[in-house]
Amino acid sequence: MQASAPEPGRGVQVSALRLIYGHGSAAVHAIDKLDLEVAPGRFVCVLGPSGSGKSSLLHVLGGLLRPSAGRVEICGARIDAMSLDAAARWRRRHLGMVHQFFNLIPTLTVIQNVALPLLLEGQRLRAVRPRVDALLERLGIEHRCAHAIDELSGGEMQRVAVARALVAEPDLLLADEPTGNLDTRTGDEILGIFRELTHERGTTLILVTHDLHATSYADRVVTLRDGRIVEDTGAVA
């Protein structure tokens, strides 16, 4: 499938971003005057040791944390200026998230888990089923569609999580150590799926990881230390 052409305004722009926990002498600068621009449709890996600010950056980009200062614009929307309720509505429509521990709902089937973002928007399962089925087929788990989550392997669970993150056709996909609980072969398969699907759909992907191997799948690598960018393989990629 041919890659989607990038659309203006769909990228990520972060300016002078700061996130401070605590006050006074106990204050911790999790993110310190960070600038970052990512063009739409690109796969960016964010590397760094524990405490470097990787997860904090992901939470700010997802509207889960309000920054202490700075500007965060995603797809033309000022995330830093939104209330928490407005950010939650924005996430449902524009953001997909994939976590290390899958965060699937065990009482729902595979199909129901994948369709959940659309069901929460008031759509009916029958109406969204073709979209869900197409994603499950693309990810190679269509034969598991009616299964319970506890009947799946770790790799299959992560494929379900990826499908759920993509089903609403988000502009931005955030992934937090998505291969951390997978063996090397399955991790490579998931990273390959990320690369293919983001390029096909024009979705921007920001993946935080400790795994240097993951960088071989990315278009660009950004390294953080003490809340600042210390290395960047491309100013805009």
Side-chain angles (χ1 to χ4, degrees):
M1 185 181 298
Q2 190 174 10
S4 302
E7 298 176 17
R10 288 188 58 211
V12 174
Q13 293 183 316
V14 175
S15 303
L17 183 66
R18 301 183 76 183
L19 181 66
I20 303 172
Y21 297 111
H23 302 280
S25 61
V28 175
H29 292 251
I31 302 175
D32 191 12
K33 298 180 182 178
L34 186 145
D35 296 319
L36 178 66
E37 184 174 353
V38 181
R42 294 297 180 258
F43 178 172
V44 177
C45 263
V46 179
L47 288 176
S50 296
S52 62
K54 302 189 306 297
S55 292
S56 293
L57 175 60
L58 219 62
H59 292 157
V60 170
L61 292 176
L64 297 168
L65 286 175
R66 293 288 298 273
S68 304
R71 179 186 181 99
V72 180
E73 186 171 325
I74 301 174
C75 312
R78 282 287 304 276
I79 307 304
D80 60 287
M82 290 182 182
S83 68
L84 293 179
D85 285 344
R89 291 192 295 271
W90 178 86
R91 280 195 298 275
R92 288 201 299 268
R93 295 178 176 88
H94 300 281
L95 179 69
M97 298 191 75
V98 180
H99 303 273
Q100 179 177 353
F101 296 103
F102 317 133
N103 286 3
L104 301 172
I105 299 176
T107 56
L108 301 181
T109 65
V110 167
I111 284 178
Q112 291 167 334
N113 267 280
V114 174
L116 188 59
L118 302 177
L119 302 180
L120 290 173
E121 286 291 297
Q123 300 189 52
R124 294 182 178 275
L125 182 59
R126 180 183 299 178
V128 303
R129 182 68 186 267
R131 187 190 299 190
V132 172
D133 287 345
L135 264 177
L136 292 176
E137 182 177 1
R138 178 65 182 79
L139 291 165
I141 50 172
E142 69 278 7
H143 61 293
R144 293 294 220 174
C145 64
H147 284 246
I149 296 303
D150 62 6
E151 296 174 333
L152 307 182
S153 68
E156 288 171 335
M157 289 184 191
Q158 195 60 295
R159 283 175 167 79
V160 174
V162 171
R164 181 185 59 187
L166 290 169
V167 73
E169 300 180 348
D171 297 299
L172 175 64
L173 183 63
L174 302 178
D176 190 356
E177 299 284 2
T179 61
N181 283 327
L182 305 177
D183 60 72
T184 300
R185 182 183 63 82
T186 304
D188 279 342
E189 291 175 356
I190 294 297
L191 290 168
I193 288 167
F194 275 138
R195 181 171 60 188
E196 292 170 7
L197 289 178
T198 52
H199 289 176
E200 288 172 8
R201 292 164 172 260
T203 303
T204 303
L205 168 61
I206 298 178
L207 183 153
V208 303
T209 184
H210 292 93
D211 184 9
L212 285 171
H213 178 63
T215 64
S216 63
Y217 289 85
D219 302 309
R220 175 182 174 189
V221 181
V222 174
T223 304
L224 296 185
R225 187 171 295 118
D226 298 327
R228 296 184 177 186
I229 294 175
V230 295
E231 188 174 354
D232 188 346
T233 62
V236 178

